[in-house]
Amino acid sequence: MKKPRDTAKAVLLGRREALRAAFWGGTGILLGRGLSQSSLPSVVAGDLLVYAGGEKADQPILADQVGLNKALNAFPMDPNTQTVKKDPKTLIVLVRLEPKMLDKNTAKFAAGGFVAYSAICTHQGCPISQLGEVGSRKGKLVCTCHGAVYDPTAGAKVLGGQAKRPLALLPLKLQGQNLVAAGGFIGKVGAD
């Protein structure tokens, strides 16, 4: 037989768990809706690109630190407030390529062979962080969730998988060695 004190404790724990579940459920709903709301952070002209993770997280990405044919994730940082805009809506995949590989339209928005796109797959919203390494995917942006393949040399047009539209493009410019957004995303960010 349980003591009354243990029963009260169990009820209290039950309420805490219920409140915790309600909080996380509400957070998930807000995050899911967040990709379509304009009140969340966005990328604007002048934002500095910083590493999204790893040992250099939140540090500016310098052009000479990124190898050719490499991709990495970045977030924008407001250079005035030093605030890193960490949000799924602002996650960027940055790719460095030979400038001559870029098609004419993509080259207009590139800087020194760097191209940048929203890192959120247009199929179901998974993050994209890498280039394919073998076969027809070699040098292409690949979503590892469901296999969408995008061409970083041609405005991230869809080459394979279930995605129906390209990734949103982010115009870039170089300020010294710093990679800087030259505007906001061109195209819809996130999944349909």
Side-chain angles (χ1 to χ4, degrees):
M1 182 174 175
K2 292 184 179 182
K3 297 177 184 176
R5 187 173 182 182
D6 290 340
T7 304
K9 195 174 185 179
V11 170
L12 184 60
L13 286 175
R15 287 184 184 157
R16 283 184 186 161
E17 290 170 2
L19 287 172
R20 190 175 294 140
F23 171 78
W24 286 112
T27 301
I29 290 168
L30 290 174
L31 184 61
R33 293 181 60 204
L35 290 177
S36 63
Q37 294 181 351
S38 62
S39 62
L40 293 175
S42 61
V43 185
V44 298
D47 281 349
L48 202 61
L49 270 53
V50 300
Y51 288 93
E55 294 176 6
K56 296 181 180 179
D58 300 346
Q59 295 179 23
I61 300 169
L62 302 179
D64 62 0
Q65 294 175 335
V66 182
L68 197 59
N69 300 316
K70 298 290 182 191
L72 59 94
N73 284 130
F75 280 119
M77 180 177 76
D78 183 323
N80 298 319
T81 64
Q82 305 286 308
T83 302
V84 178
K85 302 173 184 176
K86 294 183 179 181
D87 185 89
K89 185 178 177 182
T90 60
L91 184 62
I92 297 162
V93 61
L94 177 71
V95 183
R96 185 174 190 183
L97 301 164
E98 283 285 348
K100 65 183 179 188
M101 294 176 63
L102 302 175
D103 74 14
K104 193 175 178 179
N105 285 333
T106 305
K108 290 189 302 191
F109 301 105
F114 286 92
V115 290
Y117 300 97
S118 165
I120 305 303
C121 181
T122 61
H123 174 229
Q124 289 196 353
C126 293
I128 297 172
S129 64
Q130 63 184 3
L131 294 174
E133 295 180 358
V134 295
S136 63
R137 294 179 171 198
K138 185 173 183 178
K140 310 303 182 206
L141 289 166
V142 178
C143 176
T144 57
C145 287
H146 303 100
V149 181
Y150 302 91
D151 186 351
T153 68
K157 74 177 179 182
V158 178
L159 297 175
Q162 298 177 9
K164 301 294 184 217
R165 61 179 170 80
L167 301 170
L169 185 144
L170 182 68
L172 292 177
K173 62 182 178 181
L174 281 168
Q175 288 181 343
Q177 285 291 310
N178 290 316
L179 288 152
V180 176
F185 282 118
I186 299 171
K188 181 181 175 186
V189 173
D192 292 323

